[in-house]
Amino acid sequence: MTGSGLAAEKARRLDRIAEMRARGVDPYPYRFDRSHTLAEVRGQWGSLEPGTETEERVSVAGRVMLKREQGKLIFATVRDRGDEIQLFVSKAVVGDDSFADIGHLDLGDWVGVEGTVMTTRKGELSVKVERLQLLAKAVRPMPDKWRGLSDTDTRFRQRYADLIVNEDARRAFEVRHAVISSFRRTLAGKGFIEVETPVLHVEAGGAHARPFLTHHNALDMQLYLRIALELHLKRLIVGGMERVYEIGRVFRNEGISTRHNPEFTMMELYQAFGDYSEVMAVAEELIVQAARDAIGTTVVDIFDHEGNPHRVDLAKPWRRARMIDLVAEKTGVEVHPSQPVADLRALAEKHGVRWEPRWGSGKLIEEIFEAVAETSLIEPTFVTGHPVEISPLARADRHDPLLTERFELFVGTRELANGYSELNDPVEQRLRFEEEQAAKDAGDAERGTVDEDYLRALEYGMPPTGGLGIGMDRVAMLLAGVTSIKEVILFPTLRHEVL
RNA sequence: GCACCUCUAGCUCAACGGCAGAGCAGUGGACUCUUAAUCCAUUGGUUCAGGGUUCGAAUCCCUGGGGGUGCACCA
């Protein structure tokens, strides 16, 4: 046992394990029965006066995070999921042999402890150790106990290490979990049923995106990973389920950025007898309630595209504005899908948007909108009235046949949600699908196909329905106050690690 | 896919053309109330990989790899 590189360090700890086994001690025992979590200990005895010794016996377990040796005393900080507590180890109490064993514990080891609750002279709540049992030996050293782990590559690849040492990382995932459970609670309260629909699709529909392709061997069948939940959920509305939602992973074979991961989590819901205005209100309620549940406030700092924070109270009613009005506001030119393509191409060029010949007026308006208006949408804003051309599943606006009853929610210049009055006319839906197919055949890989089974479902009759999709990762980002989606995805997609 | 930045001990970082260093972790020692304990001593390196320039390369150049950021892509 020489040196102290990583290999030598691991060898030293493996030797310790071998030495324990030789003594008949199991370094990896099968279980340990706790009497209290550390948070429960703190909750029950957290207000003891300094210098108090109690007769209260507890069994607690956790990971050794810090160790301070002080002659015939050892202080160690252990942590479980919810809290940290100090172990007070006196040689006079545990005896020479146990004291030596405890002294040989490494940072990162898991331990189970029996002892009494006490506070030190300075008031630190502690467990005075009577018996300590190693629950699992750490063979690999922990990252720096004070500086933590900051290398992003290591943090994302070795998320376990990130979670051990970085409080901020743990917190972001607590927020994410709280957001998702808040959504489930809110939706249950509104009578929504949670369902699970296929991830493997024969047709990748419901959104404009490049899919991942896979193959089923026994059926010798090409399959796509889903890019949206929409078309299956609406089949359930046809089936009479009235209010359904799914929180699930979708997959899009596109670039990776601070806002995009190839697999991400969508919540989609469909509400029979409602229209887009109703699900818009649901979106607002879900997110505001999630803020209350996850971070205890509706006031958040929203970052603009330059990274500057803007303090916003989400509880204030959200702005609603039509896409064409936002374009008019920013360009000074009234736009509408009824206008000739040439006019809109000219407007696009004036604002630095390079257009493609296959784009119609509606697509041009969307592109101009993204170029001129999107970066100004810091506070929550529902952008409404998307052109029919770019909304093949949305119902036409009851007052304007070239626009749809659709909205997208933007917060901090990012799109968080999308919803509409669902198109339920099977004849019109077929025409829309055929336009999608024609665009795809003309070389636009993100466009859709004719989904015959979905059309068959619509032919059975789908009631008027409002639909909503929310990007859960982006809501988690907003409420956790982080600027990269990788901070709210436990294992973000990375290249193969070269070991 | 393109551009820029970055990669040094297990971790966090120095050294920026002249002998690869520090703190933490580790090891040995002192200490019965510490709090990132402290103090003394000490081990530890394929400087991401390969090539080049140079008397001399962690440092400059080229190629490749990982990561980050921006752009492109992206309902």
Side-chain angles (χ1 to χ4, degrees), chain A residues 219-345:
Chain A
L219 298 178
D220 188 21
M221 184 166 85
Q222 176 178 281
L223 290 166
Y224 299 96
L225 301 190
R226 64 185 176 188
I227 58 172
L229 315 176
E230 176 153 359
L231 296 177
H232 282 92
L233 292 177
K234 284 194 286 194
R235 284 172 168 91
L236 300 177
I237 297 296
V238 170
M241 293 180 79
E242 292 194 7
R243 294 188 179 203
V244 295
Y245 76 99
E246 178 167 7
I247 296 174
R249 202 72 58 83
V250 299
F251 306 84
R252 297 189 182 176
N253 204 340
E254 285 154 1
I256 294 176
S257 75
T258 51
R259 278 142 283 143
H260 301 265
N261 196 64
E263 50 180 307
F264 62 102
T265 301
M266 284 272 277
M267 190 290 305
E268 287 193 28
L269 67 80
Y270 293 85
Q271 176 172 342
F273 315 120
D275 65 6
Y276 77 134
S277 64
E278 216 162 335
V279 290
M280 225 184 294
V282 172
E284 196 164 340
E285 182 182 343
L286 281 167
I287 292 171
V288 171
Q289 186 58 41
R292 292 195 180 102
D293 290 340
I295 59 174
T297 174
T298 55
V299 178
V300 294
D301 284 324
I302 297 174
F303 297 92
D304 62 27
H305 66 293
E306 286 169 338
N308 302 311
H310 299 253
R311 185 147 293 184
V312 172
D313 186 354
L314 298 173
K316 289 195 292 189
W318 298 351
R319 182 185 176 202
R320 300 180 182 196
R322 292 200 302 173
M323 182 181 281
I324 56 173
D325 295 336
L326 287 168
V327 170
E329 184 183 295
K330 292 289 176 185
T331 63
V333 180
E334 295 292 332
V335 296
H336 192 272
S338 60
Q339 289 165 343
V341 166
D343 294 1
L344 290 163
R345 284 175 179 171

Side-chain angles (χ1 to χ4, degrees), chain A residues 27 41 52 97-98 104-105 122 125 188 210 215 219 241 313 318 322 333 391 407 419 433 466 471 485 494:
Chain A
V41 172
T52 307
D97 291 346
S98 282
H104 283 129
L105 286 173
K122 296 221 175 102
L125 180 64
R210 288 169 192 265
H215 181 262
L219 298 178
M241 293 180 79
D313 186 354
W318 298 351
R322 292 200 302 173
V333 180
S391 313
F407 64 89
F433 274 158
I485 198 168
L494 299 171

Side-chain angles (χ1 to χ4, degrees), chain A residues 114-174:
Chain A
E114 277 178 61
T116 53
V117 177
M118 60 168 281
T119 54
T120 63
R121 287 173 202 164
K122 296 221 175 102
E124 182 76 26
L125 180 64
S126 307
V127 173
K128 187 174 191 176
V129 174
E130 292 175 0
R131 258 171 25 119
L132 182 144
Q133 183 185 7
L134 182 66
L135 299 184
K137 184 71 186 166
V139 170
R140 183 179 286 268
M142 295 231 291
D144 190 285
K145 69 182 181 186
W146 181 241
R147 308 294 286 273
L149 182 63
S150 59
D151 181 71
T152 49
D153 189 12
T154 312
R155 285 188 52 227
F156 299 148
R157 286 188 197 283
Q158 300 184 32
R159 184 65 88 181
Y160 32 88
D162 187 34
L163 292 169
I164 291 168
V165 296
N166 288 330
E167 168 75 32
D168 288 349
R170 291 194 294 276
R171 192 188 152 270
F173 292 106
E174 283 165 12

Side-chain angles (χ1 to χ4, degrees), chain A residues 44-61:
Chain A
Q44 207 162 334
W45 293 286
S47 49
L48 288 181
E49 294 294 312
T52 307
E53 300 256 357
T54 76
E55 300 293 315
E56 308 280 358
R57 296 182 58 82
V58 294
S59 296
V60 296

Side-chain angles (χ1 to χ4, degrees), chain A residues 1-125:
Chain A
M1 182 162 51
T2 58
S4 74
L6 177 60
E9 176 64 16
K10 287 204 277 191
R12 187 186 68 73
R13 297 188 187 205
L14 289 167
D15 285 349
R16 179 94 56 210
I17 289 170
E19 175 267 328
M20 288 180 72
R21 287 195 166 118
R23 282 192 285 148
V25 177
D26 184 359
Y28 297 100
Y30 282 85
R31 67 181 287 165
F32 181 82
D33 294 321
R34 291 191 286 190
S35 67
H36 295 74
T37 66
L38 300 182
E40 286 167 348
V41 172
R42 189 171 301 284
Q44 207 162 334
W45 293 286
S47 49
L48 288 181
E49 294 294 312
T52 307
E53 300 256 357
T54 76
E55 300 293 315
E56 308 280 358
R57 296 182 58 82
V58 294
S59 296
V60 296
R63 187 193 288 275
V64 178
M65 300 306 296
L66 295 169
K67 205 174 68 164
R68 299 174 287 281
E69 294 184 65
Q70 165 80 39
K72 297 187 178 65
L73 289 180
I74 297 170
F75 298 91
T77 304
V78 297
R79 189 171 73 211
D80 69 9
R81 190 174 75 178
D83 208 340
E84 293 185 347
I85 209 158
Q86 176 168 273
L87 303 183
F88 179 100
V89 186
S90 163
K91 194 174 194 175
V93 172
V94 299
D96 290 2
D97 291 346
S98 282
F99 192 79
D101 287 344
I102 294 168
H104 283 129
L105 286 173
D106 285 297
L107 301 188
D109 289 350
W110 288 91
V111 294
V113 165
E114 277 178 61
T116 53
V117 177
M118 60 168 281
T119 54
T120 63
R121 287 173 202 164
K122 296 221 175 102
E124 182 76 26
L125 180 64

